[in-house]
Amino acid sequence: FVWFFGGSGAAGVARSAFPRMYKQVTYIQSLAGEGPTLGGDTLGLSPLCGYPEDLSVKDVEKVVNNRLSIEQIVQKFPVEGNFLAAKGYITFDAFDQANKAANPLAIRAIFDTFAQSTDVCDPNVAQAKIDSYKEDVTLLKSSLVKAKATGFAAIGVLLFLLGLADVTAAGHAYHGWFPEWPGAQNFPGCLFDAETGPLKIPDYWI
């Protein structure tokens, strides 16, 4: 019973992450063609980054050359109710407000390269990234690929752990509540068997 509830609880926590991931993807896609842009040459982003369009070099430079440092942005644009923001971490909301006159896709892309979270980052990491882009804006391309690869790997691990939690919960539910159910010996084939399928489980409940 402990393993069942533990496994199902872990699976519930993992599943709660998917709506946030979906919201993030749809938000990024919605930024195509939105907001002001300085135009000109584009950065040449890899399709693997998942952005709806390439970034203007000038749009990126406008954000990285913001006269405010990351520390100053945190102080000037506090985010109420955010524990990490109160501790000096930079949030996307604060970063967005500090660059409200810039291209929104460029803002999102630069923050994504901080690669710690979609919403919050260590200010030292963020400042180091910004400083590197000031010296060479093309570094943003490799940073984005790396950040996205990290994200894809995290999703892969999450899916694996979710499957493991489901198998653990289902197995212990079987052993704990309906150990005589014959369908367990023919899973997943029993899903298509009217005689031993999941609908027959109540007949073997203990």
Side-chain angles (χ1 to χ4, degrees):
F1 298 134
V2 172
W3 280 100
F4 168 73
F5 287 113
S8 59
V13 172
R15 287 192 179 90
S16 69
F18 287 105
R20 295 195 299 271
M21 293 177 183
Y22 177 76
K23 182 179 179 180
Q24 177 67 9
V25 170
T26 55
Y27 169 69
I28 290 176
Q29 296 305 310
S30 73
L31 296 179
E34 293 294 318
T37 180
L38 298 175
D41 295 336
T42 55
L43 201 58
L45 293 182
S46 167
L48 295 176
C49 294
Y51 289 89
E53 59 188 16
D54 208 344
L55 301 176
S56 162
V57 172
K58 291 181 180 178
D59 287 342
V60 173
E61 290 176 337
K62 182 173 183 177
V63 176
V64 301
N65 289 319
N66 189 314
R67 61 184 180 81
L68 297 176
S69 68
I70 293 297
E71 182 179 0
Q72 290 171 330
I73 290 175
V74 172
Q75 294 174 349
K76 187 173 182 179
F77 301 99
V79 178
E80 298 296 330
N82 189 306
F83 174 77
L84 290 177
K87 295 297 182 180
Y89 279 64
I90 179 70
T91 64
F92 176 72
D93 286 343
F95 192 68
D96 189 39
Q97 290 181 63
N99 294 283
K100 59 184 178 180
N103 180 267
L105 188 60
I107 297 170
R108 181 70 256 183
I110 292 169
F111 197 90
D112 281 349
T113 65
F114 300 161
Q116 293 188 313
S117 166
T118 57
D119 298 314
V120 66
C121 177
D122 182 320
N124 295 321
V125 172
Q127 189 63 62
K129 290 285 187 180
I130 291 292
D131 291 342
S132 69
Y133 302 149
K134 286 181 179 180
E135 296 180 5
D136 184 359
V137 72
T138 63
L139 291 176
L140 180 69
K141 295 190 293 183
S142 59
S143 291
L144 265 177
V145 171
K146 182 179 179 180
K148 293 301 179 180
T150 300
F152 293 148
I155 292 173
V157 171
L158 180 62
L159 289 173
F160 170 77
L161 293 177
L162 180 58
L164 183 62
D166 282 341
V167 169
T168 299
H172 285 84
Y174 159 66
H175 289 294
W177 284 301
F178 40 92
E180 301 300 323
W181 177 51
Q185 309 303 320
N186 187 35
F187 190 85
C190 68
L191 296 176
F192 309 99
D193 188 337
E195 297 299 321
T196 62
L199 294 179
K200 292 294 183 179
I201 287 178
D203 296 342
Y204 299 93
W205 203 269
I206 60 173

